[in-house]
Amino acid sequence: MHPDLKSNCFHLFSQYHLTVTKHREESSSSTSLPNGAATSPIDPDQSRNDETKTVGKPAENGEQQDNDFLDLTVMVPGGKEIGVMVSSHEQVQDIRQSIIEQPDCIQHTCFHLEHDNERVNDFVELSEVPNIKSGSKLRLVEDPYTEKDARIHFIRIRELIGAAGDRTDLLHGINAGLSLYDTVRAQNNPGTSALPSTNSKSTTVTNGGNDPMDNYSLRAPANVLSILSHQPRPSPSSIVKSMQLSPWNPPPHQLRLRGHLLYLEVMIKDGNAIHITCDIHGFYVNRSTSTRFDPSPKYPRGSEQGLKHSLLTLLQRHVANFDSKLQEFQQENSTGELLATCQLPNAIPASPWLVPSWELSTDHFPDVVRTQESYLLSGSEGTETLRDWNEEFQSTRELPKESISDRVFRERLVAKIFADYNEVATRGAILVAKGEITPLNPTESKYAQIFVYNNVFYSFGADGVGTFATDGGDEAARVATGKDVTGVKTVNQLDIDGLFTPGTVVVDYLGKRIVAQSIVPGIFKQRDPSEHQIDYGGVEGKDTVAEHPSFIEPFRELSKNLRVKRHPVWDKEKVRHDLEGSIETKGLLGTDGRKYVLDLYRTTPLDIEWLEQHWQDREDSETPADPNKDYPHRMAVLRPELVESFWRSRLQRHVNENMSGNGEMPKLTNGTPHTDQNTDGQSKTNVENGVDQVARQETTNPRENEEPGVDARQEEQEKRTKLIADFEFALNPDVFSGQEPQLEEERVQMAEDEKQVRSACKFLTAEIIPKLISDLQDGEVGFPMDGQSLVTLLHKRGVNVRYLGELANQVSASETVVSRMDALRSLAIQEMIARGFKHVANRKLRDVAAPAAPACLAHLLNCFLGSQLNANPTPETDDDLKDCYSDADWSFEETTPISLRQELADQIQKRFRFRLGEEIYIKERHLQHLREIALKLGLQLAAKTYTFTKTQDKPSVQFVNGTSESHASDTSVTSGSSASSKKKNKKRGQTNSPNRNGSCESDRPAHTFCADDIQNIVPIVKEAAPRSVLADEAMEAGRISIAQDQRSLGNELLLESMSLHEQIYGILHPEVARAYYNLSTLFYITNKELAAELAKKAVIVSERTLGVDSADTILSYLNLSLFAHNNNETAAALKYLLHALDLWKLVYGSLDHPDSVTTLNNAAVMLQSQKRYKESRAWFEESLEICKKMSGEHSINTGTLLFQLAQALALDQDPKGAVQRMQAARGIFSKELGPEDRNTKEADQWLARLVSNAVSLSKHLNDRSRRVAIRTPMTRQQPRVGATSADVTLPGQPSSDRRTDLDDPRDIDKLLRYINGDEAEKKVLKQKNPRTRGARKSRGASNSVA
């Protein structure tokens, strides 16, 4: 192990123990924010949230560790005592949160703690409390209420007893944060039959069957039920009928002076109302009625039914059977996984694109408090929620970060502030889009107006003032805002001292793009005419350039990390200015003295090769328009990942050229630094990346130092490291931007800079894209499932989305034509069509009246996807609505299928340079196109069987949610098409089943979509929150330690990384989901139970934060299935696997996917482990058929699957079929690898034994009593999209001994003894890997086969 790396790992490990401790004990207290925000009782689910946090293994015992934890006793009113185990580094407010989680203390919210009769400050660390030690006693003392405390207490009690009704939220969509894990887990266990039907017309449904795999059709179309919860919806509380603020609020002035705070009204089940007064002492029943006001006590204060400090205690005295009903309610809500129900404090929950149809009578419960929530949360003045966002952002950035504890505190606070800001900013953006906020400049044009709401500044992502007139106008402005938020995120991730960014969020909603920014002090200040409005960079376009000296150093650090060189620019007076960044990147010295960086949309150079081919300068009006140069804007820039990859290639060439043949530099990974999670940002993007990666690669092999020539290699390594450290290479972002050098020397330098940028552009098209296609064709990386995963893969490689057309064209021009490449081309075309439709729809939605948006969207969808059912769809427009919004844009009514297809084709040609042929007529995969469109526009559609064509099969079997028959092929869900079904539904209490009618109106001609199908529209949010560097460093250090066989240290670091992720992000966050996924794989060898638990959490968190049908969620289910099977929970594993297959079909359209071979093969292996050989054989055969399509009938993968299928046939008592498959496998191995290859010889050996025993096998097939148990083939983890085969190799395996795709641990003799029942021969020959590295010679080979 590298000495410095080892030292850093141990240093990191030792310091983590002092900081991250609350997740290390089973009785850990809850995590709260340092500023106390998370401890607010207004979030009653926070306690359940915190209870779900992962419990890591305790660290090794030691004096320091013993002193770090305190076992305290808390004495609560009533004489009870409760014990809590806490860390001395926790704040006292953390203990408060832990206390109110206890069953005996749920009624307490307003109290303080005392130690030795002295009040303890809530905001100090426990170690700062005088004389506190393990065994000390704290006393809980009830405090008098304030109005705010009373409001918080009221909200908490409502939540605890289930009196809070459903909420309609601007930001959160229908079923936001949905998890299907409990639904999947509750399905019937697999029984005795699992033969997959390949008949797509199968509609057989076996009611009450015990096996979810019965009649499962692998060829059946996708079923919309796959992403609907089958669990009954929560019903109103059975404890009380309602609980709300009384109409007698607020208290009169005279009574306020006497301590009255609130008046409440509780309606109990018998119809009687209880009126309650809350004063500073607590709660008591008063004498008021609905018509008479008398807030005096109804019972003596000291009586059993009198004054109580807690509202919960008071209700216990006045509501019949309160305790038993409360216990029943709590038990009912604790049956499922806690992670699936608790709130998401630090992330916006994912909203599914398919939701149950809304039922007027059952889906909306009465709750007056919905309209009272604003007062309850922010008070009568509404000022409690107003925050100075910019000051919070910047003061948090200025917190110390010297020690590990400082960094945890700081990153945790940063994550919370960004989460709060993103939510508030998005809510405001929705109101701006709807026109519900008054602009600051109402006399300006619509898209030049600006707004301020909740201390957030809003503007439209459009060219309202002509800033981008020469670059594409509104199109350029829209792209610039998206690039800007990405640039802000990059700067936030780099965390450069002394450089600050405003909080930035971009929201797409109803066709409009809204930019939300925190208000930078001084940005609106009118300076003297002699002063520039901007202190660094271009002031008024490029005419004036400012150079404030205080910005030079922070901008230099920023440019170093972004690979931007210091370069000259010239103003309108031809005066030279040397800038550290792009002229478009501006620096502003705020009135608070901080240095802000703005306009980060041009941090990388222009893609000049693209622009020269496809863009025509709009300034030259005399030049005739070139139809081949109609790209919409000039904001085509290179991605930062591409610049980083290009830098690495130049670094590698530099080192190789200067090593003088002494050795070659280890090959650096293209793209971003090597972490699966690093798709949105980079924790380090400077030269240290290259040094660190070389250090990791040089120290991975511990045997290297044992070989001769250690000194020579060490010297060589030192030289190589020095070359890397001395390497300097950066690009000029302002080339090809109108800069005019004045001197010859400047022209020469500019020409050189232009050459470098052109080289980077050519590197993208000549190397990166072909390499990506090659990797996908050869199966070197996980294959994308949908448009989102494809775009993520492209971005990770540094490829812009505008190259989707180039990608499709290069695939078409590929010499190797197999289904694998057809799948890639289809995905690329599908993504281009969806994006083209998004642009068309946004343009038509932009000025449509908000109430008419559903009709507009339904009509556009009918013209695009429903034209085969109705070639002349008519829009559902309301004449009254037209009269109300006479100035709105109603041009969408004129859209026809022909005109829409033409608009789509034009958009795709302009944006992607790809000409659609027959693909514009959507003849298949309608549901997948609909999904892509819905996700890009934020649509939530009614879940029903949409009829896209006249010849579409009508469903012959119907059933309701809650059954396990969702795997039947052609089915639809009804809300009760017959009287018997309605009765059954009523008995079950399930009247909320979606409406599955083909049309919304019986008197309207057949249409695929109607306005009512658009159930909701949610915003699409782009935010700039940075990732935790500390948590990523811990995980990377753990990976390296395990790779170097430092397992003990590696496990500890990984546990600490998990704890850090949970602490910093909160338990429910996309980054935590990815961390759980990665950690489950890393822990699989050392702790299978923990790996399975982490895989389960990865599933739930992925569902709730990324989407129930996202590619990450599907892979998490497959991962969980694999781990459950290896933990001897095969029945549960098959449930997870089948659910993943259902999602796969919904997302991709079928199971004919390059990576589905792995999943089907794993299912077959699981069935073999249950001795279900007949069913297993069918799944092996299906896997083989798909492999033939994807890789070719004579590929190495096909040969390997034939090899494995032969073994399965032998187990299924089919020796003849086994011989035939083995002969085919042997033929492929011999042809592709040669007769002397070990795979060919292995097949020869199997074939000889199978043939020689074919006659005698039948004599022993029925003798099952003499059979011995054998090991089944190994399952393989599904690779993540873009992950290499090495990334999915289980840790702890030496690279030279890793199993390849279909390695089978069984040997011939043992298998034949098993079939023949012959146990006499004890000595067996181990089977070798049926695939070698020589298989890489085949272009069709795929590592995705399991």
Side-chain angles (χ1 to χ4, degrees), residues 579-649:
L579 296 182
E580 296 290 345
S582 169
I583 193 173
E584 304 287 355
T585 302
K586 301 172 177 59
L588 174 68
L589 191 60
T591 54
D592 57 359
R594 298 185 178 106
K595 294 181 281 292
Y596 294 88
V597 58
L598 309 172
D599 293 348
L600 288 158
Y601 53 83
R602 276 283 307 278
T603 58
T604 56
L606 292 171
D607 187 353
I608 190 60
E609 293 286 319
W610 176 274
L611 291 175
E612 287 182 345
Q613 293 182 52
H614 310 302
W615 163 263
Q616 184 175 9
D617 196 342
R618 310 292 166 86
E619 290 183 345
D620 189 2
S621 58
E622 297 181 359
T623 304
D626 187 346
N628 295 322
K629 294 186 175 183
D630 56 351
Y631 193 65
H633 58 82
R634 197 174 185 271
M635 299 301 298
V637 297
L638 300 176
R639 289 194 62 83
E641 297 90 345
L642 187 277
V643 175
E644 184 73 14
S645 182
F646 185 60
W647 176 87
R648 290 174 180 274
S649 70

Side-chain angles (χ1 to χ4, degrees), residues 771-783 793 797 820-821 1154-1155 1197 1276 1279-1288 1301 1331 1333 1335-1345:
K771 180 64 166 61
L772 173 62
I773 295 174
S774 176
D775 287 346
L776 289 170
Q777 183 172 321
D778 294 342
E780 296 294 336
V781 296
F783 205 91
L793 175 59
R797 295 292 185 99
R820 189 179 188 88
M821 288 295 95
D1155 284 353
N1197 286 341
R1276 181 184 171 89
R1280 300 191 76 173
V1281 175
T1284 63
S1285 57
D1287 292 331
V1288 297
D1301 294 344
R1331 201 183 149 187
R1333 297 182 182 181
R1336 298 285 183 194
K1337 299 176 182 177
S1338 172
R1339 293 281 290 180
S1342 170
N1343 268 342
S1344 61
V1345 184

